[in-house]
Amino acid sequence: MATIITMPRLSDTMTEGTVATWLKKVGDKISEGDILAEIETDKATMEFESFNEGTLLHIGIPAGETAPVDSLLAIIGNEGEDISALLAGGAVPAAEAPKTEAAPAAETKTETAAPAKAATELPKGVVVVTMPRLSDTMTEGTVATWLKKVGDAVAEGDILAEIETDKATMEFESFNAGTLLYIGIQEGNTAPVDSLLAIIGPAGTDVSGISANYTAGSTPSAPAAEETKAAPAAEKATETVAETSNGGRILASPLAKKIASDKGISLNQVKGSGENGRIVKSDIENFTPAAQTPAAAAATSAAKPQEAAPAAPKVFVPAGEVYTEEIKNSQMRKIIAKRLAESLFTAPHYNLVIEVSMDEAMGARATINTVPDTKVSFNDMVIKACALALKKHPKINSQWKEDAIIINHHVNIGVAVAVEDGLVVPVLKFTDAMSLSQIGASVRDLAGRAKNKKLGPQEMEGSTFTVSNLGMFGITEFNSIINQPNSAILSVGAIVEKPVVKNGQIVVGNTMMLSLACDHRTIDGATGAQFLQTLKQYIESPVTMLA
């Protein structure tokens, strides 16, 4: 069955997008995860990947043209499939038009929609709001907080909710005015992009039919299959229905069903906490076989007398000797794994190490921090020194392309920040033009918001060089993986007090190890060494950074 792909909302402020480049053409085979096109938003040009498989049957927005969010972007389906009805409608609702209204066989398929009139009509003034795609890698989102409740008046530009993506927690604003009539994803729950998030419209409008029959990526319609039987209105098309051995039905979200399948948990053992007893993600994650009530255990035993053993345990402990635990990868962890693996296995890394005296830097920092409302760290001083050294050695501030090396004459330094789920790299734009105190204030602000998942995607884009510091953990020396598309990353160790030789005398000194990981495609060894020498001069004599 053909699927309509619409212009995605790739940022929280995006209202329209421009197709910069199509990477697939009509007739090409599409696999889930393939990059369809590069789309230019109000903030950046991002790769847009397919979440469907099939053949690209139609391109709705040619390269170079601009269209509003939710416009027809493409159609993917089976090779040779007739899509004339979809093209005639020119919108998502057309995808749900039935083959023939009188065909009884069509009514037995859950994917076949109701009559065209019901599929294409919404009550006047009613708007369906879906889970937005707030980053280029986002496939699902979690509602962290609702800032509006059902019945509240909503003005265009009001913040509806805070949504957690794979990169940050972002405010999601309304592009419509009216009354919040329905909330489709409760706080703390996770749902795929394009799932029903909310419904906005005139106060008092009945939207029960819309919410009950909405499927992700399509407009609502009354399901034909349910018109022929007295199914309760509370059963939603977005719910996955599992059958027990005695013919009963269990309501579960698709994500809950997938997690349960991965963990070997039978859904009829789980008590749902969602609406109408629906099983949600948290029910599966918090489920343990011991948590069953006697009644539930008895019911399970009666329903499946042949199953004497419980469901496969989450933890495998043979003879008490081995203990393993499975932790599902977060979206952030998956992206980190993908990007670092690509960097390590595509860029030929080599490392250069240099030892830097920190005595002068320690004295300079102590003096600077005596100024009221000023706080500068050693890491801030390293960042400032890097920015100045990069201006003198622009080949370090570069990136590799197959047909050219791009030299960046602006300096945007990314600062690696450890967060609960992994690592993020907020970016200091035009770092070379910032003072030490400005760098310090900016780093503290970005790091704080990174740990609270409050960074926007635009604050983590555009770095030309990266600094990673593990000195606060007592690590004296380490090597990092390059943060693509940068050509180098600096690893900063701890300051160590130890005997050093000065003027032929052994004295107590303070030193720090710096390790520069370079991409050998863009940076030769001598070039990297010269950069480290300049960096060492700036750090060992901080007054030169003022010249």
Side-chain angles (χ1 to χ4, degrees):
M1 182 176 179
T3 301
I4 284 184
I5 310 299
T6 59
M7 173 66 75
R9 181 179 287 110
L10 297 176
S11 78
D12 52 334
T13 58
M14 176 179 171
T15 58
E16 63 181 15
T18 301
V19 178
T21 309
W22 277 101
L23 302 179
K24 299 288 185 179
K25 61 182 183 294
V26 173
D28 284 357
K29 296 293 184 183
I30 307 296
S31 298
E32 186 174 347
D34 282 358
I35 305 301
L36 290 179
E38 293 182 349
I39 296 179
E40 182 180 345
T41 74
D42 56 329
K43 294 178 178 176
T45 299
M46 301 182 178
E47 294 180 338
F48 176 61
E49 67 181 67
S50 174
F51 300 99
N52 303 279
E53 295 185 349
T55 300
L56 183 57
L57 303 176
H58 175 75
I59 288 178
I61 307 172
E65 292 193 5
T66 301
V69 168
D70 294 333
S71 299
L72 173 62
L73 180 65
I75 299 177
I76 295 175
N78 298 323
E79 186 174 1
E81 185 175 351
D82 181 13
I83 58 172
S84 56
L86 300 184
L87 294 175
V92 180
E96 301 187 2
K99 294 179 181 178
T100 58
E101 191 170 330
E107 295 183 359
T108 63
K109 298 182 180 181
T110 58
E111 67 269 23
T112 302
K117 182 178 179 181
T120 57
E121 290 185 359
L122 284 172
K124 185 177 180 181
V126 171
V127 177
V128 171
V129 181
T130 59
M131 173 66 75
R133 181 177 288 108
L134 298 177
S135 78
D136 53 332
T137 56
M138 176 180 173
T139 58
E140 62 182 16
T142 301
V143 177
T145 308
W146 276 102
L147 302 179
K148 297 285 186 179
K149 61 181 184 295
V150 173
D152 282 358
V154 178
E156 186 174 346
D158 283 357
I159 304 300
L160 288 178
E162 292 183 344
I163 296 178
E164 181 181 346
T165 74
D166 57 320
K167 292 182 176 178
T169 299
M170 304 171 64
E171 293 180 338
F172 177 60
E173 68 181 66
S174 174
F175 299 98
N176 305 278
T179 299
L180 184 56
L181 303 174
Y182 178 81
I183 287 177
I185 305 171
Q186 300 301 320
E187 285 187 7
N189 286 357
T190 301
V193 168
D194 293 333
S195 299
L196 174 59
L197 180 66
I199 299 176
I200 295 174
T205 304
D206 180 12
V207 295
S208 58
I210 300 172
S211 60
N213 300 295
Y214 181 86
T215 54
S218 65
T219 50
S221 63
E226 292 192 8
E227 289 178 356
T228 60
K229 56 187 179 182
E235 293 181 7
K236 297 179 175 61
T238 55
E239 294 171 338
T240 301
V241 181
E243 293 189 3
T244 61
S245 60
N246 60 5
R249 303 204 296 177
I250 300 174
L251 300 178
S253 72
L255 182 58
K257 186 179 181 184
K258 182 179 184 304
I259 296 174
S261 176
D262 293 341
K263 293 186 175 183
I265 297 174
S266 174
L267 290 177
N268 59 11
Q269 296 178 325
V270 182
K271 179 176 176 60
S273 62
E275 185 178 359
N276 300 311
R278 181 171 179 257
I279 298 172
V280 296
K281 174 185 175 184
S282 59
D283 298 325
I284 302 298
E285 292 179 336
N286 297 329
F287 173 78
T288 56
Q292 297 184 86
T293 62
T300 302
S301 176
K304 296 187 177 182
Q306 74 279 10
E307 292 184 6
K314 177 181 178 181
V315 181
F316 176 64
V317 187
E321 296 178 359
V322 178
Y323 176 85
T324 63
E325 180 181 5
E326 182 179 280
I327 300 175
K328 292 299 180 183
N329 292 325
S330 66
Q331 192 65 24
M332 177 182 287
R333 179 53 58 187
K334 291 177 183 178
I335 296 300
I336 290 172
K338 178 181 177 181
R339 299 269 173 84
L340 293 184
E342 288 175 351
S343 177
L344 186 61
F345 297 124
T346 59
H349 285 55
Y350 70 92
N351 293 276
L352 300 172
V353 180
I354 195 168
E355 188 173 27
V356 178
S357 172
M358 293 299 291
D359 293 328
E360 291 293 330
M362 293 173 73
R365 175 176 178 264
T367 301
I368 293 171
N369 286 344
T370 60
V371 178
D373 301 323
T374 301
K375 184 177 181 182
V376 171
S377 69
F378 292 114
N379 196 56
D380 301 332
M381 300 177 76
V382 171
I383 293 171
K384 177 64 175 177
C386 286
L388 296 176
L390 288 169
K391 295 296 286 185
K392 290 191 174 183
H393 302 277
K395 288 186 179 180
I396 306 295
N397 203 40
S398 63
Q399 63 188 80
W400 170 263
K401 298 283 188 181
E402 287 300 326
D403 54 351
I405 294 175
I406 307 300
I407 303 295
N408 298 299
H409 293 289
H410 61 283
V411 176
N412 293 345
I413 294 184
V415 182
V417 176
V419 296
E420 183 179 355
D421 296 329
L423 188 73
V424 296
V425 186
V427 180
L428 296 174
K429 303 294 176 66
F430 304 104
T431 319
D432 55 308
M434 302 173 72
S435 67
L436 269 174
S437 58
Q438 288 174 328
I439 290 174
S442 297
V443 170
R444 287 193 299 274
D445 172 61
L446 290 170
R449 289 192 290 119
K451 292 177 180 178
N452 292 325
K453 297 185 177 181
K454 295 293 185 181
L455 286 178
Q458 70 280 5
E459 294 177 295
M460 295 180 281
E461 298 170 350
S463 68
T464 61
F465 184 83
T466 306
V467 173
S468 179
N469 191 336
L470 292 179
M472 68 286 293
F473 299 106
I475 302 301
T476 56
E477 184 181 342
F478 66 104
N479 297 324
S480 300
I481 298 175
I482 298 169
N483 178 33
Q484 297 284 350
N486 300 172
S487 287
I489 182 172
L490 184 73
S491 304
V492 183
I495 298 174
V496 177
E497 187 177 44
K498 67 177 187 178
V500 297
V501 178
K502 286 186 178 181
N503 301 320
Q505 300 294 320
I506 297 178
V507 298
V508 176
N510 296 276
T511 66
M512 180 173 70
M513 301 299 293
L514 300 177
S515 176
L516 183 70
C518 301
D519 183 342
H520 218 320
R521 296 174 300 179
T522 54
I523 303 173
D524 295 327
T527 304
Q530 290 165 3
F531 169 80
L532 281 180
Q533 285 180 336
T534 301
L535 183 62
K536 176 184 173 75
Q537 292 169 3
Y538 279 129
I539 295 175
E540 291 188 339
S541 184
V543 71
T544 59
M545 288 192 273
L546 304 176

